[in-house]
Amino acid sequence: MSLKLDGKKLSLEIEERLNNYISGNKKNAKRAPGLAVIRIGEDPASGVYVNNKEKACSRVGIKSFIFHLKDNVDQKEVEQLIKKLNFDKDIDGMLLQLPIPEKFDEQRLISYINPSKDVDGLNEINIGKLVKNEPAMRSCTPAGIINLLRSHNITIEGKKIVVIGRSLLVGKPLSLMLLNLNGTVTMTHSKTSNLNKVCKEADILIAAAGKPNLVDSSFVKEGAVIIDVGIHRLKSSDKNQTRLCGDVLLEDVISKVFAYTPVPGGVGPMTVTMLLVNTIFSWQKQFGLSSTLNDLLP
């Protein structure tokens, strides 16, 4: 039977430890950690994600500051808000909820975020430190995937790892993080020739292509570990109903794999948890708190 890498279960376990850590250190810090989330426009999925982050903050004792801006706000106003939050001593972490309306220069806005508060790890300084394998904020989804693998004692060092997708949010930082952990990493994408043959060589296959049910059994070698980053809502046979699926056609590959992540309940919960971890790391650093937070992760 294949091993389910239960991200929801692990995230709740880590959250409990984070809650205890904050409770035990809040007296010395004299305030709770603070996370600011900037949302622009009315993208419905963004609304759900921001709500989930707010709830997760509440569970562990992080104070959340939600800034929901109308899509008629201009670039300069958002830049000014980011600059203001950079100097706000009650805020340890900050993120720009993506996607944002096309009229904005996304990377320019991210570049304004103080690297020490950049809990999404997308500022060019943090990306540069990742390339150099220096300590810095790490992108949440890749960090969540690595902790999920570690929690089940799945070895990264020396393994052949194929990543499908080259986004700045997942594919690129994840490939670098795995390389820094001595994995042998191949990055693939929509233009890769014979994609299924390349993927079939992987000991660990990570699908972050953004295409529903892309990965079937022809992509997977016997005994591989499959990490599914995708999440899509598709219409079911009953037109009034929808169902969630990932980039992996799980029912077609599950008999071949050693381990897999479910959708939902796999990578998604760990992404939110690592956002909390990054916020607390920043809080910890600001107040010179004990470094035992590292012991709270797998």
Side-chain angles (χ1 to χ4, degrees), residues 104-116:
F104 294 97
D105 185 337
E106 176 184 302
Q107 198 54 48
R108 181 179 172 87
L109 290 175
I110 291 170
S111 73
Y112 275 98
I113 298 175
N114 183 328
S116 67

Side-chain angles (χ1 to χ4, degrees), residues 123-137:
N123 181 286
E124 58 265 31
I125 291 176
N126 285 328
I127 294 290
K129 288 184 175 181
L130 173 59
V131 172
K132 295 169 70 177
N133 198 18
E134 295 177 355
M137 290 288 190

Side-chain angles (χ1 to χ4, degrees), residues 93-104:
M94 185 194 330
L95 68 89
L96 180 66
Q97 181 64 47
L98 303 176
I100 58 176
E102 289 185 3
K103 70 174 186 175
F104 294 97

Side-chain angles (χ1 to χ4, degrees), residues 4 26 49 59 72 86 108-109 129-130 136 162 210 217 228 235 253-254 263 266 285 295:
K4 181 170 82 169
K26 194 160 58 172
Y49 295 142
R59 288 195 297 269
N72 62 358
N86 280 338
R108 181 179 172 87
L109 290 175
K129 288 184 175 181
L130 173 59
V162 174
S217 60
D228 192 348
K235 289 183 178 180
V253 307
I254 195 167
V263 176
K285 188 175 180 180
D295 299 331

Side-chain angles (χ1 to χ4, degrees), residues 31-295:
R31 67 163 175 82
L35 172 65
V37 178
I38 301 171
R39 177 187 171 199
I40 306 174
E42 303 302 327
D43 180 78
S46 290
V48 172
Y49 295 142
V50 169
N51 187 47
N52 288 343
K53 289 167 184 174
E54 193 172 12
K55 289 178 179 177
C57 285
S58 179
R59 288 195 297 269
V60 302
I62 293 174
K63 186 174 181 180
S64 54
F65 301 83
I66 310 300
F67 297 88
H68 186 185
L69 309 177
K70 301 297 183 183
D71 54 15
N72 62 358
V73 71
D74 64 34
Q75 176 90 14
K76 286 290 184 184
E77 290 177 272
V78 184
E79 290 174 7
Q80 289 300 319
L81 174 60
I82 292 171
K83 290 177 182 178
K84 178 184 175 183
L85 297 177
N86 280 338
F87 289 100
D88 190 325
K89 293 183 179 179
D90 289 328
I91 290 173
D92 303 287
M94 185 194 330
L95 68 89
L96 180 66
Q97 181 64 47
L98 303 176
I100 58 176
E102 289 185 3
K103 70 174 186 175
F104 294 97
D105 185 337
E106 176 184 302
Q107 198 54 48
R108 181 179 172 87
L109 290 175
I110 291 170
S111 73
Y112 275 98
I113 298 175
N114 183 328
S116 67
K117 293 189 177 186
D118 170 35
V119 287
D120 261 345
L122 297 177
N123 181 286
E124 58 265 31
I125 291 176
N126 285 328
I127 294 290
K129 288 184 175 181
L130 173 59
V131 172
K132 295 169 70 177
N133 198 18
E134 295 177 355
M137 290 288 190
R138 296 294 192 243
S139 188
C140 297
T141 298
I145 290 168
I146 286 169
N147 279 287
L148 196 51
L149 293 170
R150 283 174 168 166
S151 72
H152 289 85
N153 297 314
I154 294 172
T155 302
I156 293 172
E157 183 171 342
K159 297 297 182 181
K160 291 183 179 179
I161 305 171
V162 174
V163 179
I164 310 175
R166 51 182 169 178
S167 73
L168 189 61
L169 270 174
V170 182
K172 288 178 180 177
L174 177 57
S175 296
L176 287 167
M177 290 167 70
L178 293 166
L179 189 62
N180 289 341
L181 293 170
N182 299 317
T184 301
V185 183
T186 301
M187 181 184 286
T188 66
H189 46 78
S190 60
K191 305 299 182 185
T192 300
S193 299
N194 299 316
L195 179 61
N196 61 336
K197 291 182 180 179
V198 176
C199 292
K200 204 163 187 177
E201 297 179 0
D203 301 308
I204 301 173
L205 176 60
I206 301 169
K211 186 175 180 180
N213 299 325
L214 170 68
V215 175
D216 61 22
S217 60
S218 70
F219 285 67
V220 180
K221 81 172 183 179
E222 199 77 33
V225 174
I226 304 294
I227 304 294
D228 192 348
V229 181
I231 185 161
H232 314 277
R233 187 173 292 278
L234 301 179
K235 289 183 178 180
S236 65
S237 53
D238 179 348
K239 294 183 179 180
N240 295 320
Q241 300 292 323
T242 60
R243 62 183 179 85
L244 291 175
C245 73
D247 287 359
V248 178
L249 187 60
L250 184 60
E251 58 265 34
D252 193 48
V253 307
I254 195 167
S255 63
K256 295 181 73 173
V257 302
F258 168 71
Y260 68 95
T261 56
V263 176
V267 173
M270 287 301 297
T271 297
V272 177
T273 297
M274 295 313 299
L275 175 69
L276 307 179
V277 169
N278 281 350
T279 302
I280 297 170
F281 269 132
S282 180
W283 178 68
Q284 174 195 60
K285 188 175 180 180
Q286 179 170 335
F287 291 100
L289 303 175
S290 65
S291 60
T292 54
L293 182 58
N294 290 311
D295 299 331

